[in-house]
Amino acid sequence: MLVSSCNSPHNNDIEYTEGLFGYDLQFLQKYDSVIVLKSGEGNAQIIVSPKYQAKVFTSTAEGNGGHSFGWVNYKAFTTSVDQHINAYGGENRLWLGPEGGRFSLFFKPSARMDFDDWKTPAAFDTEAWSVISKDPVSVLMSKEMKLLNYQGTELTATVR
């Protein structure tokens, strides 16, 4: 006997249209082992991504067939990694500063301070986070970061 549910986040037999939570979920599942957190009744859901910097990509209040509140930059998943910044989308992001100036995290020591040399540190642009624990309603992720500022000082941080 085969049992299938329309509420299953892994049900790829249903075709959702762009703008719906189910569409974004199916799209993101092609690129990541995303984590779907759900309220008790299952209508309120969020998609969290360990691979893409612990992002909350999107959320809904009405299940897979409900409106997707977040933003997914579909094109960013099918193009090569950008040398400056990779805007995958999401409802949140981690951002550290300063972007410019003598303590900048976005320029290597002695680099020119112009866009050609500006680079978002991989630790919060392209590197995955580790899942520490998860259950149906929460997930805890962590990232150890080593960042070099414009002065040549290495900064170490653990973000959870």
Side-chain angles (χ1 to χ4, degrees), residues 21-82:
F21 184 83
Y23 182 92
D24 286 345
L25 177 58
Q26 288 175 338
F27 177 85
L28 291 167
Q29 286 174 329
K30 294 175 188 174
Y31 299 95
D32 185 12
S33 298
V34 294
I35 297 168
V36 179
L37 304 177
K38 295 182 181 184
S39 62
E41 78 288 342
N43 289 328
Q45 299 182 46
I46 64 172
I47 300 172
V48 184
S49 170
K51 181 178 179 181
Y52 295 98
Q53 302 76 53
K55 275 184 198 317
V56 172
F57 264 107
T58 191
S59 60
T60 188
E62 299 175 341
N64 286 352
H67 181 75
S68 185
F69 298 133
W71 171 63
V72 178
N73 184 2
Y74 307 112
K75 184 179 175 183
F77 292 85
T78 58
T79 59
S80 59
V81 172
D82 187 279

Side-chain angles (χ1 to χ4, degrees), residues 36-37 43 45 51 66 78 86 91 96-97 130 140 151 153:
V36 179
L37 304 177
N43 289 328
Q45 299 182 46
K51 181 178 179 181
T78 58
N86 293 275
E91 292 184 353
L96 300 174
S130 299
L140 175 62
Q151 295 292 312
T153 302

Side-chain angles (χ1 to χ4, degrees), residues 123-141:
F124 56 96
D125 184 37
T126 56
E127 292 179 359
W129 288 45
S130 299
V131 175
I132 305 301
S133 64
K134 67 179 179 174
D135 61 43
V137 297
S138 67
V139 60
L140 175 62
M141 288 186 250

